[in-house]
Amino acid sequence: MVVRQHSTNQKKRLRWSYILAGGAASLLLAGMGLWIAYPTLTYKGVPVRILVSFLEDAEARRAYFAGEKTALHARLKELGVEEQVKDFYRPQFQDEQALDLYIHQLLYENTGYVGAAYVVDAQGQLKLTPTLTADFWRWFNLAKQLQLAIDQEMDNGEPYIITPQGSRIPYTTISALYPVADLEKWAAAMQPLP
């Protein structure tokens, strides 16, 4: 009976040895896989190595967890995070402007910060802030001269005209009602003849 019990204990020890060796080998392989994949791993689109450097910075952590978007963006800029993320994604983009938009979208989704060059649409996607064209300014100056407008403002990338009555009307709407050709005629009619 002693021989049989010794044999059973030896089998149990051998089985645990195999389990432990298999677990150690699995951990070793997983560690090697992580080590090899580490340069390409991302979390929410941000490379893990950059997240680690961000988490090591006390000022960046404080701004992030305090919800101070502007301070966080300034610190990330000081740390060169935006450029590092751009360098990571650059091989995937032909167009530098598309890369910049992609990176700013990632930053917006992860921090809530919207750069000055962008606006957020209703679906939460960043778009370049539209610039006001020469045609807009031509129309606006004529409208001001004719007292149809007193000011203009941008709201989420859309220009709005402020009327003397205080109404806020989208530029596309009011300029369709009062085309620049009509404004030019009316402005010319207001001018005294020489």
Side-chain angles (χ1 to χ4, degrees), residues 134-144 148-149 161 171 174-176 178-180 183:
D135 289 338
F136 170 85
W137 289 113
R138 185 171 152 217
W139 183 94
F140 179 72
N141 288 327
L142 285 166
K144 252 180 117 171
L148 291 172
I161 302 301
Y171 166 69
I174 198 166
S175 65
Y178 300 103
V180 76
L183 296 182

Side-chain angles (χ1 to χ4, degrees), residues 28-191:
L28 179 64
L29 286 174
M32 287 175 55
L34 280 173
W35 181 74
I36 290 169
Y38 182 73
T40 60
L41 288 178
T42 63
Y43 177 73
K44 292 187 176 183
V46 179
V48 171
R49 63 182 168 78
I50 296 171
L51 281 174
V52 169
S53 69
F54 156 75
L55 290 171
E56 289 173 344
D57 187 81
E59 190 177 334
R61 276 194 325 266
R62 186 199 58 72
Y64 178 77
F65 291 114
E68 298 172 2
K69 297 173 188 176
T70 304
L72 174 62
H73 186 263
R75 185 61 185 155
L76 292 177
K77 191 170 190 159
E78 289 172 11
L79 294 171
V81 167
E82 185 178 326
E83 285 307 313
Q84 292 174 36
V85 176
K86 278 185 178 180
D87 290 343
F88 180 82
Y89 282 105
R90 189 164 275 118
Q92 299 174 29
F93 287 86
Q94 302 284 327
D95 179 20
E96 195 68 21
Q97 189 172 10
L99 172 64
D100 189 68
L101 174 61
Y102 183 79
I103 300 310
H104 277 87
Q105 183 72 41
L106 282 176
L107 290 173
Y108 167 67
E109 290 170 359
N110 288 298
T111 68
Y113 180 81
V114 179
Y118 297 96
V119 293
V120 182
D121 69 11
Q123 290 77 35
Q125 299 299 307
L126 292 184
K127 293 184 177 186
L128 276 174
T129 301
T131 56
L132 298 175
T133 65
D135 289 338
F136 170 85
W137 289 113
R138 185 171 152 217
W139 183 94
F140 179 72
N141 288 327
L142 285 166
K144 252 180 117 171
Q145 180 183 345
L146 295 167
Q147 298 178 352
L148 291 172
I150 57 170
D151 202 0
Q152 58 83 26
E153 63 184 30
M154 294 292 279
D155 185 5
N156 203 20
E158 175 88 21
Y160 282 82
I161 302 301
I162 310 300
T163 67
Q165 297 78 24
S167 298
R168 206 170 151 260
I169 304 170
Y171 166 69
T172 52
T173 303
I174 198 166
S175 65
L177 291 172
Y178 300 103
V180 76
D182 290 348
L183 296 182
E184 286 173 337
K185 284 185 224 172
W186 297 334
M190 288 178 57
Q191 300 295 323

